[in-house]
């Protein structure tokens, strides 16, 4: 999304110069200082940009790893020692992570960075910009970005410190989750009147009114988890605000998969808030880490997808999750690579030539070095053939072909690096529709003549050619959300709300309920001595 990057990607250099101009003993007249920058609309945009650059940085990495690998949606075993990484990925699967887990630490650091960068930009713009609608809108957008980041942090860690003052370096203790919940709600409601009512290219990559409403719906749907009090009617009202805006529609079956292609963007009718990516911006640090193909495409299928690097493909799904994709007429099945593999013509098999020992490291015949050619066949089960203790499947073709792979964020053949052009949605219209259906099922009052079943069928009619459902239960809805939002980093949130996070899947048997929130990372406890560790850790 190169045009979008012109708007939200320019400011890193300018902001860096601002940061470097502190504590100087002589007047500066030739460099950027608060006295001379920002002074106009273009410079105001540049000042806001680092918030979006920071958010993009780990959105498809630390956020995704934490929300997906801790569920039955994804698993990342080692293969011949590759991807062992100090048990970081294994721990997410077993639910035995500690405060030193690198994924959990990265998620904390990232959300903290976005919040801190937001505080800085808000402070600068509040002083520099003249009063008026431009200032009100820009600061409201930044406060919404901060609220999104606090939502992610609260959802992941529970009680977290509230820090909204730039330049305040005192240690802040954790605030109760209810307090943080109320802060997020208040910030979004205050921002709403000033946020843009438009959607599409003019606001793409930045929050508009419906971003705030959709996040409020998400907040209220999970309110019982966060605060102990149900807010289902409030969830429905927030969903109705999005629906009544008339700005969005469910993508039809024919374009569902295209929503996640490298050429997606503001033309997608479901995207309420999406994070734009552009591989050409990597050299100046704007793109962040968006390279799903690196982790999901089998290394034998580089030519099939035309990608410019050999993928390592260490992660896959589990049979328990893939079982939800049980409707042969559902377009969402096509986001998976399963079974015997063929080139894009659907006829030519994907073939690999290796040795008998290279195909199966446990082959004991005397001719282990003999040539062996086979058609790639992705199998559903993960088998720890080499080492259970090291979570290792082995380092042969059998091991590397274990597990069905998701290519929802379709490999980008136009990129010259492992980064991709695919923008990644955070809030989609189908989520609003299914959130409203769930809120009604959980006891909320139906509105707009819509019922839980009519809402679910609204989504399903655009995904499957099978007959409409005549009834829907919460368990049905959970499975539908699993199908609809696979790989979009909402599954942990859903599992917790539906009471399934303590279940058993894959090799995981841990049922500790305190793991619904992650531990405060050790480095955070060292840097902020006012913090205390979460219960159970």
């Amino acid at each position: 999304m190169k045009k979008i990057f012109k708007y939200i990607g320019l400011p890193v250099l300018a902001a860096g110069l601002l940061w470097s101009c502190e504590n100087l003993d002589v007047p500066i007249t030739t460099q950027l200082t608060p006295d001379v920058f920002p002074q106009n609309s273009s410079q105001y945009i540049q000042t806001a940009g680092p918030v979006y650059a920071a958010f993009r940085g780990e959105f498809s990495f630390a956020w995704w790893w934490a929300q997906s690998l801790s569920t039955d949606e994804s698993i990342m075993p080692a293969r011949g020692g590759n991807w062992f990484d100090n048990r970081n990925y294994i721990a997410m699967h077993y639910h035995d992570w500690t405060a030193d887990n690198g994924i959990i630490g990265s998620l904390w650091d990232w959300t903290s960075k976005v919040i801190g960068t937001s505080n800085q930009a808000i402070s600068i713009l509040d002083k520099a910009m003249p009063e008026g609608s431009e200032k009100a809108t820009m600061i409201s957008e930044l406060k919404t970005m901060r609220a999104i980041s606090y939502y992610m942090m609260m959802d992941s860690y529970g009680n977290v410190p509230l820090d909204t003052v730039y330049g305040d370096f005192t240690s802040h203790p954790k605030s109760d989750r209810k307090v943080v919940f109320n802060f997020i709600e208040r910030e979004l409601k205050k921002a709403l009147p000033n946020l843009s009512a438009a959607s599409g290219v003019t606001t793409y990559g930045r929050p508009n009114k419906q971003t705030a409403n959709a996040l409020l719906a998400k907040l209220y749907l999970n309110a019982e988890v966060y605060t102990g009090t149900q807010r289902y009617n409030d969830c429905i009202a927030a969903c109705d605000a999005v629906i009544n805006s008339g700005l969005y529609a469910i993508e039809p079956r024919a374009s569902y998969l295209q929503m996640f292609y490298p050429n997606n963007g503001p033309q997608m009718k479901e995207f309420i808030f999406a994070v734009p990516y552009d591989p050409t911006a990597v050299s100046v640090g704007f793109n962040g880490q968006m390279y799903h193909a690196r982790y999901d495409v089998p290394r034998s299928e580089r030519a099939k997808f035309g990608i410019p690097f050999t993928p390592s493909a260490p992660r896959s799904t589990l049979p328990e999750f893939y079982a939800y994709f049980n409707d042969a007429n559902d377009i969402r099945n096509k986001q998976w690579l399963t079974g015997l593999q063929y080139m894009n013509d659907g006829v030519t098999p994907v073939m690999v030539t290796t040795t008998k020992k290279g195909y199966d490291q446990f082959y004991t015949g005397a001719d282990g070095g003999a040539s062996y050619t086979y058609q790639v066949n992705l199998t559903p089960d993960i088998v720890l053939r080499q080492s259970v203790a090291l979570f290792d499947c082995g380092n042969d073709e059998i091991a590397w072909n274990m597990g069905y792979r998701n290519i929802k964020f379709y490999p980008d053949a136009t990129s010259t690096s492992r980064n991709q052009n695919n923008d990644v949605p955070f809030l989609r219209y189908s989520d609003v529709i299914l959130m409203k259906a769930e809120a009604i099922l959980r006891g909320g009052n139906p509105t707009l003549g819509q019922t839980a079943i009519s809402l679910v069928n609204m989504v399903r009619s655009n995904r499957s050619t099978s007959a409409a459902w005549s009834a829907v239960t919460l368990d049905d809805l959970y499975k539908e959300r699993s199908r609809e939002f696979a790989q979009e980093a909402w599954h942990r949130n859903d599992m917790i709300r539906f009471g399934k996070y303590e279940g058993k899947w894959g090799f995981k048997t841990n049922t500790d309920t305190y793991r619904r929130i992650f531990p405060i990372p050790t480095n955070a406890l060292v840097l902020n001595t006012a913090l205390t560790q979460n219960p159970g850790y």
Side-chain angles (χ1 to χ4, degrees):
M1 295 312 303
K2 298 177 180 62
K3 291 181 180 178
I4 302 301
F5 270 74
K6 290 179 182 177
Y7 187 93
I8 64 176
L10 291 173
V12 175
L13 176 61
L17 289 171
L18 271 177
W19 298 333
S20 68
C21 291
E22 297 179 0
N23 300 321
L24 296 180
D25 296 326
V26 296
I28 300 296
T29 59
T30 59
Q31 295 187 36
L32 296 179
T33 70
D35 294 331
V36 298
F37 182 93
Q39 296 288 305
N40 54 50
S41 293
S42 177
Q43 292 176 358
Y44 301 148
I45 291 171
Q46 291 179 19
T47 303
V51 175
Y52 300 97
F55 189 81
R56 186 166 53 252
E58 289 280 339
F59 177 74
S60 291
F61 204 74
W63 173 248
W64 192 97
W65 292 115
Q67 307 308 311
S68 189
L69 283 182
S70 63
T71 73
D72 61 356
E73 180 180 55
S74 295
I75 185 171
M76 195 157 146
R79 289 174 170 85
N82 298 289
W83 301 104
F84 180 74
D85 284 11
N86 198 30
R87 289 197 84 253
N88 279 331
Y89 309 114
I90 299 170
M92 300 307 290
H93 178 79
Y94 280 121
H95 279 211
D96 65 358
W97 52 72
T98 69
D100 295 313
N101 182 277
I103 295 169
I104 292 169
S106 292
L107 178 59
W108 178 278
D109 291 345
W110 170 64
T111 50
S112 299
K113 178 180 179 180
V114 180
I115 290 166
T117 308
S118 300
N119 289 342
Q120 182 191 43
I122 291 167
S123 176
I124 292 171
L125 293 175
D126 189 47
K127 295 173 184 176
M129 293 184 75
E131 295 301 322
S133 60
E134 182 183 21
K135 176 179 181 178
T137 296
M138 187 165 287
I139 289 182
S140 293
E141 288 173 349
L142 293 174
K143 287 186 175 181
T144 301
M145 292 301 299
R146 185 174 65 185
I148 290 171
S149 302
Y150 263 119
Y151 176 83
M152 292 170 147
M153 190 177 237
M154 176 200 67
D155 181 76
S156 298
Y157 300 97
N159 301 345
V160 297
L162 282 173
D163 180 7
T164 61
V165 179
Y166 175 61
D168 178 7
F169 301 111
T170 59
S171 295
H172 291 265
K174 294 190 296 185
S175 294
D176 186 84
R177 206 178 200 183
K178 294 179 182 178
V179 174
V180 182
F181 178 101
N182 292 335
F183 167 79
I184 297 168
E185 179 186 25
R186 186 169 61 250
E187 286 284 281
L188 292 172
K189 286 185 170 182
K190 285 182 179 179
L192 257 168
N194 299 314
L195 292 171
S196 174
S199 65
V201 70
T202 58
T203 58
Y204 191 72
R206 296 164 19 242
N208 63 5
K209 286 184 185 295
Q210 304 320 320
T211 302
N213 281 320
L215 188 62
L216 281 169
K218 190 73 71 172
L219 193 70
Y220 295 140
L221 185 64
N222 291 280
E224 189 170 12
V225 172
Y226 300 146
T227 71
T229 302
Q230 296 178 357
R231 299 281 297 272
Y232 297 125
N233 284 330
D234 289 328
C235 174
I236 291 168
C239 290
D240 283 348
V242 180
I243 294 168
N244 289 331
S245 74
L247 295 173
Y248 307 98
I250 298 175
E251 290 284 347
R253 188 176 186 273
S255 57
Y256 172 79
L257 295 173
Q258 281 70 32
M259 267 198 291
F260 312 99
Y261 279 15
N263 62 350
N264 64 357
Q267 75 275 18
M268 309 317 302
K269 296 186 288 291
E270 284 197 30
F271 285 7
I272 298 172
F273 182 69
V275 183
Y277 287 92
D278 179 358
T280 65
V282 174
S283 61
V284 286
F286 295 156
N287 194 63
Q289 300 182 83
M290 180 2 198
Y291 31 76
H292 282 285
R294 177 195 179 195
Y295 294 102
D296 299 322
V297 175
R299 57 185 183 176
S300 58
E301 301 195 54
R302 174 181 176 179
K304 173 179 177 176
F305 293 103
I307 50 181
F309 60 92
T310 300
S312 46
R315 69 187 182 194
S316 64
T317 195
L318 286 159
E320 294 93 328
F321 186 79
Y322 185 74
Y324 299 137
F325 293 80
N326 56 359
D327 176 2
N329 301 316
D330 196 323
I331 190 64
R332 294 170 295 195
N333 297 343
K334 293 185 179 297
Q335 66 185 280
W336 297 98
L337 296 177
T338 66
L340 291 170
Q341 295 298 292
Y342 296 86
M343 299 297 283
N344 284 329
D345 61 9
V347 176
T348 306
V350 176
M351 305 297 293
V352 169
T353 297
T354 180
T355 63
K356 291 184 177 180
K357 194 79 170 177
Y359 177 77
D360 180 359
Q361 69 186 62
F362 299 106
Y363 180 76
T364 57
D367 60 342
S371 179
Y372 182 79
T373 300
Y374 76 100
Q375 181 180 1
V376 174
N377 184 18
L378 302 182
T379 55
D381 296 320
I382 304 297
V383 183
L384 305 179
R385 298 155 60 242
Q386 181 160 311
S387 171
V388 173
L390 298 179
F391 208 54
D392 204 319
C393 300
N395 193 18
D396 55 16
E397 294 297 309
I398 291 175
W400 285 98
N401 292 327
M402 285 182 182
Y404 291 163
R405 313 303 170 88
N406 189 287
I407 54 165
K408 187 176 201 171
F409 294 98
Y410 199 81
D412 184 5
T414 69
S415 174
T416 58
S417 70
R418 63 189 184 186
N419 274 282
Q420 300 177 221
N421 266 301
N422 317 56
D423 298 346
V424 181
F426 178 63
L427 295 166
R428 283 202 286 126
Y429 188 62
S430 63
D431 200 353
V432 170
I433 298 301
L434 292 181
M435 282 195 288
K436 181 176 180 180
E438 183 180 337
I440 293 171
L441 275 178
R442 292 186 184 276
N445 298 321
T447 60
L448 306 179
Q450 296 170 330
T451 63
I453 186 60
S454 72
L455 289 161
V456 173
N457 278 330
M458 190 186 305
V459 175
R460 286 191 52 77
S461 65
N462 287 286
R463 305 293 184 249
S464 176
T465 57
S466 295
W469 287 356
S470 58
V472 61
T473 66
L474 280 173
D475 195 54
D476 294 331
L477 186 56
Y478 171 78
K479 294 174 182 177
E480 185 64 18
R481 288 191 61 86
S482 298
R483 287 184 285 268
E484 179 67 10
F485 305 111
Q487 298 291 100
E488 294 183 54
W490 282 117
H491 197 52
R492 172 184 163 274
N493 181 280
D494 287 347
M495 291 195 91
I496 292 171
R497 189 173 66 259
F498 280 87
K500 297 181 181 292
Y501 199 57
E502 289 75 53
K504 296 180 181 180
W505 58 81
F507 305 95
K508 179 244 181 193
T509 59
N510 192 322
T511 60
D512 294 332
T513 57
Y514 70 83
R515 292 187 181 273
R516 293 177 188 176
I517 57 174
F518 296 125
I520 306 299
T522 298
N523 69 308
L525 294 170
V526 171
L527 291 172
N528 181 355
T529 56
L531 292 177
T532 56
Q533 186 53 272
N534 283 334
Y537 296 106

